[in-house]
Structures are given as structure tokens and as C-alpha cells.
């Protein structure tokens, strides 16, 4: 149990680091309290700003796959679940987070 918690916390920190490394344009002031990152929505060809509003959720309900900073569906697209993500943890499981995508989307990171 303790090892799984340590792995989970490592993955949460790593995901937050990926969000930070993907870019944070200056025009994002006053959008949430945490560091902002970027997610690419493949079906729209757009990048969206995001922030982690709930570091870990229980695995109940529907979650959308977010892998390598990319997902298939974004705001306005059927299949977008409001930022409820399941992210591969590298150990065969998932971490479940709430990170809403902030519009408008843009063509460049």
C-alpha cells in the first residue's frame, strides 16, 4: 500500500512537471491558483491551457484518456468529459485527475 501511494505521488508530480514543461503563455493570469500547462486535442488540432484542480480522484465514473499531453476530445466535442482524466502511471494503472481545459483553444502551444 505504501509503495503504491509513493508511485501515485511520483506520477502526480511528474504529470504536473509535464504540464509545466509543455508551456505556459503569459496571457493566463487569474485562471486558477496553480501552475498552468497545455494539452493538445488531436480531433480539433488545438492546444488548451489547463491546471490541476484536484490532484487525485477516486476511479469512479467516466474518465478520458490523457497521454503524453494529448487527448482526442476537447471542449465542444462529444466525448469531452470536462477535464476528468485518466493518465497512465507507467506501472500498468492510471492516475485520475481533474484538470479542466481553458478556452479558447489555439493552433500553437
Amino acid at each position: 500500500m505504501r509503495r503504491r501511494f509513493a508511485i501515485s505521488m511520483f506520477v502526480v508530480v511528474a504529470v504536473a512537471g509535464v504540464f509545466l514543461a509543455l508551456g505556459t503563455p503569459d496571457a493566463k493570469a487569474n485562471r486558477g491558483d496553480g501552475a498552468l500547462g497545455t494539452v493538445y486535442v488531436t480531433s480539433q488540432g488545438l492546444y488548451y491551457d489547463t491546471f490541476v484542480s484536484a490532484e487525485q480522484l477516486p476511479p469512479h465514473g467516466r474518465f478520458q484518456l490523457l497521454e503524453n499531453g494529448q487527448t482526442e476530445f476537447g471542449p465542444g466535442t462529444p466525448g469531452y468529459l470536462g477535464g476528468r482524466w485518466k493518465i497512465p502511471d507507467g506501472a500498468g494503472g492510471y492516475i485520475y485527475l481533474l484538470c479542466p481545459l481553458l478556452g479558447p483553444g489555439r493552433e500553437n502551444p
Side-chain angles (χ1 to χ4, degrees):
M1 182 72 168
R2 190 175 277 179
R3 181 170 185 240
R4 183 179 171 127
F5 177 77
I7 290 171
S8 295
M9 291 310 298
F10 173 77
V11 171
V12 168
V13 170
V15 167
V18 167
F19 281 155
L20 289 173
L22 290 174
T24 56
D26 294 336
K28 299 183 225 168
N30 299 320
R31 287 188 169 183
D33 296 330
L36 296 175
T38 304
V39 170
Y40 181 69
V41 177
T42 59
S43 66
Q44 297 177 350
L46 296 174
Y47 293 88
Y48 288 86
D49 296 328
T50 189
F51 63 97
V52 178
S53 64
E55 291 188 9
Q56 191 161 0
L57 298 175
H60 304 294
R62 295 178 58 208
F63 289 88
Q64 186 175 338
L65 180 63
L66 176 64
E67 191 169 21
N68 298 320
Q70 296 186 14
T71 190
E72 185 175 359
F73 308 110
T77 306
Y80 176 60
L81 301 176
R84 291 175 50 89
W85 307 110
K86 64 179 184 179
I87 303 170
D89 68 4
Y94 293 99
I95 298 296
Y96 299 88
L97 303 173
L98 178 60
C99 307
L101 299 183
L102 307 172
R106 60 186 184 282
E107 293 181 1
N108 297 306

